[in-house]
Amino acid sequence: MYFNDKKSFYLAAVICILVVAMIGCGGKKVDSIRVTGKVTIDGKPVEQGAIKFYAEDGQTPGGGGTINDGTYVANVPPCKKKVLINGQKVVGTEKLYNTPDSPTRDKLEQTTPPIYNSKYKSPLTADITKDTKEIDFELDSKAK
């Protein structure tokens, strides 16, 4: 999937997260907790991406947000969650079309290993409670 600019990427990520959260709601109203934190890989901030929280019980709605310069903000209903992180960085620009006057977009490269973006393999978890305010995630580029 390609985006014309960072703003389009962030908007698409937020829409995807909201759709996933609404599908998981099942009509139950659950108050969300505002959680913030830092996401690093090998000690360096993840440039941009998305973070998602899925309920381990399969019943409670999920939540998530975008990562920007290694920081995220997410609204997450309380319970034990499986965490997925998809980090990317800009590595240049590319043409949208094969024409001389084509507009360009940022070319993105995956910076996080696929294991962190797999609902069934991710080793990342979080126990979200009413007292949860901040959770940091330190990722390893060699994780498999």
Side-chain angles (χ1 to χ4, degrees):
M1 186 176 286
Y2 296 99
F3 301 95
N4 292 334
D5 55 31
K6 285 184 183 181
K7 187 175 183 180
S8 297
F9 169 80
Y10 294 129
L11 179 61
V14 169
I15 289 170
C16 288
I17 290 165
L18 290 174
V19 168
V20 169
M22 288 187 330
I23 291 171
C25 287
K28 289 179 11 181
K29 171 139 175 43
V30 178
D31 290 332
S32 294
I33 308 298
R34 184 176 186 268
V35 181
T36 63
K38 300 200 180 307
V39 181
T40 59
I41 186 158
D42 299 333
K44 297 177 185 169
V46 170
E47 191 174 303
Q48 66 185 33
I51 185 166
K52 301 173 196 164
F53 295 82
Y54 288 97
E56 288 186 355
D57 66 11
Q59 303 297 313
T60 308
T66 57
I67 301 167
N68 189 16
D69 295 326
T71 303
Y72 75 90
V73 176
N75 291 312
V76 186
C79 79
K80 291 186 178 188
K81 305 287 187 185
K82 177 69 83 170
V83 181
L84 305 183
I85 296 175
N86 183 11
Q88 300 174 329
K89 70 177 179 179
V90 177
V91 293
T93 59
E94 60 188 355
K95 288 184 171 186
L96 287 173
Y97 312 106
N98 192 15
T99 62
D101 59 343
S102 173
T104 61
R105 64 177 164 225
D106 288 338
K107 184 175 181 179
L108 302 174
E109 180 180 279
Q110 190 77 24
T111 59
T112 52
I115 191 169
Y116 294 120
N117 197 27
S118 170
K119 187 173 180 180
Y120 302 103
K121 294 181 180 179
S122 177
L124 306 174
T125 60
D127 191 6
I128 308 296
T129 69
K130 65 180 179 154
D131 298 321
T132 303
K133 301 290 184 233
E134 187 172 324
I135 303 173
D136 295 338
F137 295 96
E138 296 180 17
L139 311 181
D140 180 356
S141 65
K142 294 177 178 48
K144 294 186 181 209

